[in-house]
Amino acid sequence: MTHHRIALIPGDGIGTEVLPAARRVLDSVAGRHGIRFTYQSFDWSCERYVHEGAMMPEDGLEQLRGYDAILLGAVGYPGIPDHVSLWGLLIPIRRGFQQYVNLRPIRVFEGVPSPLRDARPGEVDFVVVRENVEGEYGEIGGRLARGLPEELAVQEAVFTRKGVTRIVDYAFDLAGRRGHRLTSATKSNGIVHTMPFWDELVAERAARHADVTWDQEHIDALAAKFVLDPARFDVVVASNLFGDILSDLAAAVAGSIGIAPAANLNPERDFPSMFEPVHGSAPDIAGRGIANPLGAIWSAAMMLDHLGHPEAANEITDAIAALLAKTPVRTPDLGGTATTEQLTNALLEVI
């Protein structure tokens, strides 16, 4: 029996509703795969910020350091600026634990119509590999002359050889295990320093991965091709900003952002990795019991795979595919009337 300690951060909004569903599914498959989980829940959230002035305690990272993985629900709530909630919790964890790979699989499931008529199940199945700790989301910059006519804001993008090389190598290695095709997102025709640097390093690392066919696309054209021909892609590697935008667009192409999962990985396993659904806290439906739990459940499956249990992970993703293909159970975001609990129960029956 393999024992894993999991830190749970339900967070805000529907995060507190979908994380219990993910835990139920994890526990349903654990025993027959020789896995035992123990969980510790942390009440780090916007509500904590309101009462205590911080999203998490000063020693939050030290509290999390000893866990095997982190499962996050959602972060953000009305009244708390997004830059406060994200930079107070999510980003410190990503950067403090060197979770430099943000991995977002995109798949069109049978039974979930894509808004694109030519995006068919079995044909659209790719992964966006996003650089997760530097790039455009840097902390260097500031604002001057606030409130005056000459007010200005400066935001510096930071691209390092180490940071770009390691994310590109990860993406090429992943492509070598999948369809042997990689696309690099760039904008070197308009961004004169960082993007040519990115392009040069992609070409440099490509020489070490002769088994992978690769190309590069400017971000504006790439966004259009995600819509016009999503089946052409296998692995897409992108900077922090470009990967963030592309992965949300791709989730919409797949039919619902409520299904989309994400992993924040420290591949070297020096620190715990963190897994979270893409959908956010969705305050408009929070507390109504109708949130789609599949994004959190698929994220939990990604956690299982990272922890060394691919068969258990596949059991969950296969069950998700079977549920969507063979049953009418759907939450409202998928056009149905099922509650979070009803969809979770239906998935557990499939499992």
Side-chain angles (χ1 to χ4, degrees):
M1 185 72 72
T2 303
H3 176 216
H4 295 296
R5 299 178 65 236
I6 308 300
L8 302 176
I9 307 177
D12 301 303
I14 64 171
T16 62
E17 303 171 43
V18 298
L19 221 55
R23 179 175 172 176
R24 289 179 64 195
V25 172
L26 281 172
D27 290 340
S28 74
V29 302
R32 59 178 168 269
H33 290 278
I35 308 166
R36 181 169 67 90
F37 293 110
T38 57
Y39 305 93
Q40 177 65 49
S41 188
F42 296 84
D43 66 344
W44 302 347
S45 61
C46 288
E47 183 176 358
R48 186 186 190 280
Y49 178 84
V50 169
H51 294 298
E52 302 192 32
M55 295 289 294
M56 66 177 180
E58 290 185 7
D59 67 342
L61 293 184
E62 285 304 313
Q63 291 188 40
L64 295 174
R65 190 179 299 271
Y67 288 87
D68 296 305
I70 304 161
L71 198 55
L72 175 75
V75 178
Y77 215 71
I80 307 298
D82 286 342
H83 70 274
V84 171
S85 58
L86 290 176
W87 283 88
L89 180 61
L90 189 63
I91 293 178
I93 294 174
R94 286 175 174 174
R95 299 191 174 189
F97 288 157
Q98 283 297 293
Q99 298 168 351
Y100 61 85
V101 175
N102 186 273
L103 197 65
R104 295 191 178 184
I106 306 299
R107 179 177 170 186
V108 173
F109 286 96
E110 184 180 350
V112 181
S114 168
L116 307 179
R117 63 177 179 270
D118 292 330
R120 300 181 181 89
E123 295 181 5
V124 177
D125 184 354
F126 64 96
V127 180
V128 177
V129 179
R130 166 190 170 193
E131 200 289 318
N132 209 30
V133 298
E134 57 174 42
E136 302 88 348
Y137 294 169
E139 297 179 71
I140 300 173
R143 293 174 62 178
L144 299 174
R146 290 175 182 258
L148 300 177
E150 60 270 25
E151 182 175 4
L152 63 93
V154 176
Q155 184 79 42
E156 299 285 355
V158 177
F159 286 69
T160 67
R161 173 172 284 274
K162 177 181 177 180
V164 176
T165 295
R166 66 188 181 184
I167 194 66
V168 170
D169 279 344
Y170 184 94
F172 270 112
D173 287 341
L174 180 61
R177 300 191 301 271
R178 286 176 49 94
H180 300 273
R181 292 179 290 117
L182 180 138
T183 300
S184 170
T186 186
K187 190 58 182 170
S188 50
N189 61 344
I191 301 176
V192 69
H193 297 304
T194 56
M195 284 291 102
F197 178 61
W198 172 278
D199 292 348
E200 291 166 14
L201 291 179
V202 172
E204 177 184 297
R205 306 315 291 183
R208 301 173 179 239
H209 299 272
D211 61 324
V212 175
T213 300
W214 71 282
D215 61 1
Q216 65 182 39
E217 295 276 2
H218 291 301
I219 183 66
D220 42 358
L222 183 54
K225 290 176 182 178
F226 266 29
V227 174
L228 295 173
D229 188 14
R232 67 174 286 186
F233 298 105
D234 177 36
V235 173
V236 178
V237 64
S239 66
N240 210 333
L241 174 62
F242 292 170
D244 194 3
I245 295 169
L246 286 172
S247 55
D248 278 8
L249 172 61
V253 165
S256 173
I257 201 168
I259 294 177
N264 303 277
L265 302 177
N266 172 246
E268 295 78 15
R269 303 173 189 269
D270 296 325
F271 305 100
S273 294
M274 179 168 63
F275 303 83
E276 56 174 324
V278 172
H279 53 56
S281 61
D284 56 323
I285 62 168
R288 296 170 58 189
I290 58 172
N292 188 338
L294 293 181
I297 292 168
W298 192 355
S299 299
M302 295 180 75
M303 182 183 75
L304 276 172
D305 186 62
H306 176 74
L307 292 173
H309 308 288
E311 291 182 358
N314 290 337
E315 186 173 333
I316 292 175
T317 53
D318 288 349
I320 291 173
L323 173 78
L324 294 172
K326 299 177 181 179
T327 80
V329 183
R330 302 284 189 276
T331 44
D333 64 300
L334 296 176
T337 59
T339 64
T340 306
E341 183 175 7
Q342 288 169 339
L343 192 148
T344 304
N345 290 340
L347 182 65
L348 289 170
E349 288 181 10
V350 175
I351 292 173

